[in-house]
Amino acid sequence: MQVSPESVRKSARARQPNRKYTNETFTGLEALDSASEHEVELWQRAEQHSDSDEFDEEQVLEEANEEDEEEDDVSSAGSDASGILTPNGHSVSAASDADMDIDSTAETPGLRRQSIRNRPYVLKRRPKRSDGIHVRGIPDPVQIPPKGVKPDYIYSVFGDATQDLVHMARSRDQWCHEATLPRRPNKTCTEGMHHFFSHPEEKRQIEATEGWEWYYDHGGHQHLSKSQASVSLGADKAFTHLAPSSDSPRTIFMGPYGRQVRFDLPILRFLALSEAWEQAHSQNVTEDDAPDRSKSRKRHDGWLLNVGRGARCVEWAPNHAGETQYLAVSTFRPKRNDTSGQPKFSPAFTAQSFPTSIQIWSFSSTEAPERRSLLDPDRSPCPRLVICTDWGDAKHLRWCPMPRNLRKDGQEGRIPIGLLAGVWSDGYVRVLDVHLDQCEAQRTSFVKLTNAAFTAKPPSTLCTCVIWLSPTDLAVGCANGYLALWSIYPNPAPLSSASLPSPYLYTPLHDSYISSLSSAYPVFPHLLASTSPSGHLRLTSLLAPQTDYVLAPRLRHPPSHIHFSEPCQAFIAADEAETLRMWPIRRFFGPITVARCPSQGLALGVGRVHGSVIVGCEDGTVCVTSPMRKFLFPKLTSWQCPVFKHEFARRGEQEGHKSERGRIRITEGYKTQEAPVLRGTGKRAVEGMVVATIYEDEGQVRCVNWGTELNVGGWVAVGMGSGLVRVEDLAI
């Protein structure tokens, strides 16, 4: 019986088509040429022996020639010498094995090949590029491991430089054990609050002395003081810059849960947090609750301030390591109801000028050296200075964060506080040289500024946000998506001239409004992260802003604030999914989720001397978490500590008295809870639909800020939309 050749059953390997194309796309490229591959192999072998003193280039070439000769001998031996002996003793033809595709998953009987996924992947050095491409401290994109092989996480996030790895390890040992709240430093300073390891004492001293010679020795202070002009005001005239439409006091309910006490807090007045708990126990405690009285009498050292209007910015003044700390608070004008139904202008792109103010409050710590980091409950805070202006709301306020040794500047009887930069709603960026009168320690001074120490504005647009790059340089975001850099000294414009100074760098970053800026100071001060309503996050190097930048994946709702976390070497912000995400500077294209918020995060504060982060949400909840644990160890559970919750009710009526400004309830005493970051654990579904809650503007948390110095690093200031500011020490 004769069998046709077509009816013969072929093996699986023979039936599989050969993956070769008639018109090969990459044919002729030098990178895929055998000669080029041979040169790369020689270069890699030379790099492996480059650190050795006994490396001989001639010997490497000699060995390469010998290997080539051996390959030629094997290929010319014919089919008799081309057999490959497998572990099972079978002989497989080398010619037939060469026809087998390397990507094929079919198994050959008697030959068990190692899976590509199980093969160890080794990152090899590539030859130096001659096309101008450079690496930013991360592995070359050409060397990305194949699918299924996970690279070293630490090296991909922190880089392979010894200095960066040492900083990461020291930060991990110092703060990684803190689950939520920061800890005070121990006696050996091996745990708790500490200065960043990338900013050692020697570097801080150089910045504090040589970095401020322009101010003290080269006439910088005289130049700024001549430009800044102010006049004194009485309390009655300054009240128009402070009070909202209604000057009635705020009605607040606070204290132990179920035993809260009512307080009426006037404008520019304060309330001790411990007072609410003491009155609650004195009024509502019965004989049945006597055993629990000692447990509930825990002292709550902190203060609640009424600044009048809703708080927009709260900023602690740096470089004050003594017993007195200063807090700058800016407010915003409440929204007015428009009866026409259509806005007459766009507030984000239109300059607005109206009376407003900036308040400087002072807080005292305990006098005992061993307890200097605690708030002093016996010395009440005081509004030391109220700066009144007609420039509109101060949208962004930033103290100069660089270290500075405060010394006498020629003004006797005045205390220097620092340089305060801000962006006002009239579209200008200004710098204020803030001083306080030393003789008026417990009195409030009211001044009205007519001119600032430095004033600038980009052409045909408005300023939106500002940060400090150095003691003399400002980075300002604009409404048209441009970035402007100014130097406040020397000012090229004469004092009597109406022209404004021009920026020394004016370059586009985004297609639209820049909502937030953040610098990677002190480790990488030339790196700048920016956000825009377009949804893009951009990391730009000021050394080459048009060529050296990277974009993060686009977000539907961009974050309103972005900050730099030095222990994690990453930028952190709250996204639209009610989560906290971190964008490492070496992997900015791949964000990492580290925590989940109770609701949409509106305010964010990063610790200056610790790794904790505080988040203010739109439902009035304030939470503290430590993202470093989840960032370094992704499999760990993220924890968060709700500090308190601020709730607002617009209408209320009690004992025949109608509250026009609404009522506020503050609840606290929440326990630490897990914060899962898995998708789908955020918003709840009601009847199969995901719902979102809209909260009152006055009940939201608008701004938060940590203390700047080592002795007060656990102090936190929280500003609410109702006009209340809460100051508390959260360190344990």
Side-chain angles (χ1 to χ4, degrees), residues 182-235:
R183 295 187 180 183
R184 295 184 175 88
N186 54 8
K187 296 182 179 180
T188 59
C189 294
T190 57
E191 294 182 357
M193 290 179 286
H194 193 279
H195 289 290
F196 294 145
F197 296 102
S198 62
H199 205 208
E201 179 67 23
E202 297 79 6
K203 186 177 180 181
R204 295 198 304 270
Q205 287 298 329
I206 293 175
E207 294 183 4
T209 55
E210 298 180 3
W212 291 90
E213 290 181 354
W214 68 274
Y215 185 85
Y216 294 104
D217 302 335
H218 300 159
H221 168 65
Q222 292 79 5
H223 179 79
L224 296 179
S225 60
K226 290 180 181 179
S227 302
Q228 184 168 305
S230 62
V231 294
S232 299
L233 289 180

Side-chain angles (χ1 to χ4, degrees), residues 119-424:
R119 294 178 184 174
Y121 182 82
V122 180
L123 290 177
K124 298 181 180 180
R125 284 186 172 182
R126 304 290 294 179
K128 296 182 179 179
R129 297 179 180 270
S130 60
D131 51 1
I133 299 177
H134 64 281
V135 181
R136 304 187 184 96
I138 60 176
D140 195 338
V142 181
Q143 300 178 354
I144 295 178
K147 187 177 180 181
V149 179
K150 190 173 183 180
D152 195 341
Y153 179 77
I154 298 298
Y155 284 100
S156 63
V157 173
F158 293 93
D160 56 354
T162 304
Q163 184 178 5
D164 296 334
L165 295 178
V166 169
H167 292 166
M168 181 275 301
R170 298 184 66 181
S171 301
R172 176 201 59 194
D173 299 338
Q174 189 78 23
W175 298 304
C176 198
H177 62 279
E178 300 173 358
T180 54
L181 299 177
R183 295 187 180 183
R184 295 184 175 88
N186 54 8
K187 296 182 179 180
T188 59
C189 294
T190 57
E191 294 182 357
M193 290 179 286
H194 193 279
H195 289 290
F196 294 145
F197 296 102
S198 62
H199 205 208
E201 179 67 23
E202 297 79 6
K203 186 177 180 181
R204 295 198 304 270
Q205 287 298 329
I206 293 175
E207 294 183 4
T209 55
E210 298 180 3
W212 291 90
E213 290 181 354
W214 68 274
Y215 185 85
Y216 294 104
D217 302 335
H218 300 159
H221 168 65
Q222 292 79 5
H223 179 79
L224 296 179
S225 60
K226 290 180 181 179
S227 302
Q228 184 168 305
S230 62
V231 294
S232 299
L233 289 180
D236 53 347
K237 294 183 179 180
F239 195 78
T240 58
H241 296 75
L242 289 171
S245 57
S246 175
D247 57 353
S248 60
R250 278 294 187 186
T251 302
I252 307 170
F253 292 89
M254 58 183 303
Y257 184 75
R259 303 172 182 174
Q260 293 182 332
V261 184
R262 172 177 173 172
F263 296 92
D264 293 329
L265 190 61
I267 299 175
L268 291 184
R269 293 296 183 265
F270 50 85
L271 174 66
L273 300 181
S274 58
E275 182 179 352
W277 294 75
E278 292 175 358
Q279 290 192 18
H281 285 291
S282 62
Q283 297 178 7
N284 299 333
V285 173
T286 60
E287 295 181 357
D288 298 337
D289 301 327
D292 299 331
R293 185 182 306 177
S294 59
K295 297 181 181 180
S296 301
R297 278 199 178 189
K298 182 179 179 181
R299 196 174 187 86
H300 291 70
D301 294 334
W303 304 94
L304 193 65
L305 319 175
N306 185 3
V307 296
R309 299 173 177 174
R312 181 182 288 269
C313 294
V314 289
E315 289 287 329
W316 291 101
N319 304 316
H320 292 275
E323 298 178 357
T324 305
Q325 303 296 321
Y326 301 95
L327 179 68
V329 182
S330 68
T331 60
F332 62 90
R333 185 176 60 174
K335 297 180 180 179
R336 298 181 179 180
N337 296 328
D338 191 2
T339 57
S340 62
Q342 295 293 336
K344 298 180 180 180
F345 56 87
S346 176
F349 299 93
T350 305
Q352 305 178 60
S353 300
F354 47 85
T356 187
S357 63
I358 299 175
Q359 306 173 21
I360 308 295
W361 289 72
S362 64
F363 297 85
S364 302
S365 59
T366 52
E367 297 180 356
E370 64 275 5
R371 300 186 61 198
R372 182 164 293 183
S373 62
L374 299 180
L375 276 169
D376 192 349
D378 300 327
R379 291 188 289 179
S380 59
C382 177
R384 295 291 305 277
L385 179 64
V386 178
I387 304 174
C388 302
T389 63
D390 293 331
W391 305 328
D393 293 337
K395 296 182 178 180
H396 286 261
L397 290 180
R398 293 292 183 270
W399 293 100
C400 183
M402 285 69 187
R404 173 185 178 185
N405 292 337
L406 298 174
R407 49 180 174 172
K408 296 182 179 180
D409 50 10
Q411 296 187 6
E412 300 295 337
R414 293 176 64 84
I415 304 174
I417 304 300
L419 297 179
L420 181 63
V423 171
W424 277 258

Side-chain angles (χ1 to χ4, degrees), residues 631-695:
F631 185 77
L632 292 179
F633 308 100
K635 293 185 178 181
L636 289 181
T637 303
S638 178
W639 291 83
Q640 64 181 10
C641 178
V643 181
F644 68 93
K645 187 173 183 179
H646 171 267
E647 299 173 282
F648 174 80
R650 184 170 296 276
R651 298 178 180 178
E653 203 170 312
Q654 182 178 1
E655 298 178 359
H657 173 71
K658 186 176 181 179
S659 176
E660 298 180 358
R661 300 187 62 191
R663 295 183 176 183
I664 300 170
R665 183 178 68 173
I666 298 178
T667 56
E668 50 188 311
Y670 298 93
K671 65 178 181 179
T672 303
Q673 57 189 6
E674 294 185 7
V677 298
L678 297 178
R679 185 173 299 179
T681 57
K683 299 180 180 180
R684 297 181 178 180
V686 177
E687 296 181 357
M689 300 179 62
V690 178
V691 297
T693 306
I694 300 176
Y695 299 91

Side-chain angles (χ1 to χ4, degrees), residues 223 227 453-455 487-488 490-502:
H223 179 79
S227 302
F454 175 82
T455 305
S487 178
I488 65 174
N491 191 348
L495 299 179
S496 59
S497 176
S499 61
L500 297 176
S502 300

Side-chain angles (χ1 to χ4, degrees), residues 596-619:
R596 181 170 293 278
C597 305
S599 61
Q600 180 67 38
L602 299 181
L604 184 66
V606 179
R608 311 289 181 86
V609 290
H610 53 80
S612 298
V613 172
I614 184 170
V615 186
C617 304
E618 63 178 356
D619 65 343

